[in-house]
Amino acid sequence: MDTAAPLSPASTVPADSTPVGTPLFSRIRLAAPSDVPHVHKLIHQMAVFENLSHVCSTTESDLSANLFTSPPFQSFTIFILEVSPKPFPENSPHNSNLNYIPVVRILNSDHPVDDPDREIFKSEDENVVVAGFALFFPNFPAYMGRPGLYVEAIFVRKCYRRKGFGKMLLSAVAKQAVKMNYCEVFWVVLNWNVNAIRFYGDMGAQMLPEWRICRLAGDALQLHQNDN
Amino acid sequence: MDTAAPLSPASTVPADSTPVGTPLFSRIRLAAPSDVPHVHKLIHQMAVFENLSHVCSTTESDLSANLFTSPPFQSFTIFILEVSPKPFPENSPHNSNLNYIPVVRILNSDHPVDDPDREIFKSEDENVVVAGFALFFPNFPAYMGRPGLYVEAIFVRKCYRRKGFGKMLLSAVAKQAVKMNYCEVFWVVLNWNVNAIRFYGDMGAQMLPEWRICRLAGDALQLHQNDN
């Protein structure tokens, strides 16, 4: 597994050093409405990974209609993970977003990543590719009395896994929670996903094995429309 | 178990009928900042019920600072369940709340309810007592692409249980979700709380046994404040 060396947003490989292997620049930034097509594809890839394609009905127009309707972090919020073989431009408009300063890291891979979906995940900048995302929103744990962040989804595309990007995304959410003086980061995981469970444990997360999820949806939900 | 007959907000026991048993009027309405002391006490009673008092640190000032900061249903929202031996006044200011028209029902109990905490849960109106609450906020199930409602807490005080009030609260949340064209109502339950699990099943809820809760909080969360 590659190591991820933290660098500031403006960092580049120093001109006088010989990078070990192939550099891969990575960045986490806030999503914008123009990211909807990529987010839509990421959600459907995540559904395939979780064996839940049959319940995934999200459309691009759903996302456009329901996201970006309030300022970041106050409601549904998305972090986009991007990668590039070249440094991200210092004059990127994302660097002047007052709501969130992007996190940038550089990895040195033994080999360039072979990305079969490069074309469909290409960003506005020719070199940049969307590699993953995190979707989260505020929750309110009654026993804490202060808001937290509920992470609905964290996903890294297959060819970019085992490089520390999942940790980078979850850390970015956790750091934002601390910054806002929020009390927790909360999420659910499939019990067969042992890699994810181990990774979350390494991040310091606590598993709460005695809780179960309940859900009222579809026809069972509609039945309640006439309740008094 | 008593049955709950749905009535409109202005309903009363007809003057020419002999009510069976003792009437108990009940109402669900939106919480207001003046409800904070009662909500605080309800949260702590819920923690005792769930054997989680040791993790419950919520204060009244936490609630005042973090609730009621945005319009109802857009963020953290509370429904208050009240009961009264007399009809709720028709000119109640809650009846003219444009965000939510209260739900009112009347129960006919065999006996008056003996409420040991009547004094501390007394409402502004002399006859009215706060009996429970539901705390919820919007979530965003990625696979549905539309918001839902996440129910953080539903609680009915002990002496008012087994009267259909839990169902009345959860139904009110579900009805609101349908009204807003939201896709689901989502919550978690302790796996030993078999009464609640049976009740949720009767409401049409689906259990998702393969999911587990993860949480990053306290020192483990603070450690991420310097993550890059």
Side-chain angles (χ1 to χ4, degrees):
Chain A
M1 190 168 141
D2 301 308
T3 56
L7 289 182
S8 71
S11 296
T12 59
V13 177
D16 60 350
S17 75
T18 308
V20 180
T22 307
L24 184 64
F25 295 83
S26 59
R27 175 170 71 177
I28 290 174
R29 61 166 174 82
L30 276 177
S34 60
D35 292 307
V36 160
H38 289 147
V39 171
H40 176 246
K41 289 186 190 82
L42 289 166
I43 288 173
H44 280 266
Q45 285 198 358
M46 185 172 72
V48 170
F49 174 77
E50 291 192 328
N51 298 324
L52 291 170
S53 286
H54 56 291
V55 298
C56 185
S57 58
T58 304
T59 65
E60 286 190 22
S61 63
D62 285 335
L63 298 175
S64 294
N66 294 303
L67 301 176
F68 314 109
T69 56
S70 58
F73 310 120
Q74 292 186 19
S75 184
F76 316 133
T77 305
I78 293 179
F79 279 157
I80 293 286
L81 168 71
E82 292 170 319
V83 294
S84 170
K86 299 194 176 170
F88 292 92
E90 288 188 44
N91 62 355
S92 159
H94 300 297
N95 290 342
S96 53
N97 187 322
L98 295 178
N99 291 300
Y100 188 72
I101 299 167
V103 176
V104 176
R105 285 191 181 188
I106 178 171
L107 295 174
N108 284 309
S109 293
D110 292 339
H111 307 287
V113 175
D114 181 17
D115 181 352
D117 291 336
R118 183 180 167 74
E119 283 306 309
I120 54 174
F121 282 103
K122 220 160 54 180
S123 199
E124 284 165 34
D125 180 322
E126 173 70 15
N127 295 302
V128 179
V129 174
V130 171
F133 80 118
L135 165 57
F136 55 98
F137 47 81
N139 70 348
F140 193 84
Y143 295 155
M144 308 293 283
R146 285 186 294 140
L149 290 177
Y150 184 104
V151 185
E152 164 66 23
I154 281 202
F155 183 71
V156 175
R157 294 204 286 120
K158 191 170 182 183
C159 59
Y160 295 106
R161 288 185 205 146
R162 306 184 68 79
K163 297 180 187 303
F165 289 140
K167 183 176 179 181
M168 191 174 160
L169 280 165
L170 189 53
S171 285
V173 176
K175 191 177 179 178
Q176 185 64 32
V178 175
K179 186 179 170 190
M180 296 192 294
N181 194 29
Y182 279 12
C183 69
E184 71 170 19
V185 178
F186 184 106
W187 66 98
V188 298
V189 61
L190 284 160
N191 61 1
W192 53 255
N193 194 353
V194 287
N195 285 338
I197 290 169
R198 191 170 47 229
F199 155 61
Y200 296 147
D202 291 345
M203 293 278 292
Q206 183 190 12
M207 298 284 291
L208 303 176
E210 69 278 29
W211 292 90
R212 293 292 175 274
I213 289 180
C214 294
R215 191 168 168 263
L216 192 56
D219 292 344
L221 175 63
Q222 296 299 323
L223 281 176
H224 292 278
Q225 71 180 299
N226 297 319
D227 283 357
N228 280 306
Chain B
M1 190 167 143
D2 301 309
T3 55
L7 289 182
S8 70
S11 295
T12 59
V13 178
D16 60 350
S17 76
T18 307
V20 180
T22 307
L24 184 64
F25 294 83
S26 60
R27 173 170 74 175
I28 290 175
R29 61 165 173 83
L30 276 177
S34 60
D35 292 307
V36 160
H38 289 147
V39 171
H40 176 245
K41 289 186 190 83
L42 290 167
I43 288 173
H44 281 265
Q45 286 199 355
M46 185 173 70
V48 171
F49 174 75
E50 291 192 329
N51 298 324
L52 290 170
S53 285
H54 56 292
V55 300
C56 185
S57 58
T58 303
T59 64
E60 287 190 22
S61 62
D62 285 335
L63 298 175
S64 294
N66 293 303
L67 301 175
F68 314 109
T69 57
S70 57
F73 309 120
Q74 292 185 19
S75 184
F76 316 133
T77 305
I78 293 180
F79 280 157
I80 294 286
L81 168 71
E82 292 170 321
V83 294
S84 170
K86 299 194 176 170
F88 292 92
E90 287 187 46
N91 61 356
S92 161
H94 300 296
N95 291 343
S96 54
N97 187 323
L98 295 179
N99 291 299
Y100 188 72
I101 298 167
V103 176
V104 175
R105 283 191 183 190
I106 179 171
L107 296 174
N108 284 309
S109 293
D110 292 339
H111 307 286
V113 176
D114 180 16
D115 181 352
D117 291 336
R118 184 179 165 75
E119 283 306 309
I120 55 175
F121 282 103
K122 220 159 56 178
S123 200
E124 284 163 35
D125 180 320
E126 174 70 13
N127 295 303
V128 178
V129 174
V130 171
F133 80 119
L135 165 57
F136 55 99
F137 47 81
N139 71 347
F140 192 84
Y143 295 154
M144 308 294 281
R146 285 187 294 140
L149 290 177
Y150 183 104
V151 184
E152 165 65 23
I154 281 201
F155 182 71
V156 175
R157 293 204 287 120
K158 191 170 180 183
C159 59
Y160 295 105
R161 287 184 205 147
R162 307 184 69 79
K163 297 181 186 302
F165 289 140
K167 183 176 180 183
M168 190 175 161
L169 279 165
L170 189 53
S171 286
V173 177
K175 190 176 180 181
Q176 185 64 31
V178 175
K179 186 180 171 191
M180 296 193 292
N181 195 28
Y182 278 13
C183 69
E184 70 171 18
V185 178
F186 185 106
W187 66 97
V188 298
V189 61
L190 284 161
N191 60 2
W192 54 255
N193 193 353
V194 289
N195 285 339
I197 289 169
R198 189 170 48 230
F199 155 61
Y200 295 146
D202 290 346
M203 292 278 292
Q206 182 189 14
M207 297 285 290
L208 303 177
E210 68 279 26
W211 292 90
R212 292 294 174 274
I213 288 179
C214 294
R215 189 167 170 264
L216 192 57
D219 292 344
L221 175 62
Q222 295 299 324
L223 281 175
H224 291 278
Q225 70 180 301
N226 296 319
D227 283 358
N228 279 305

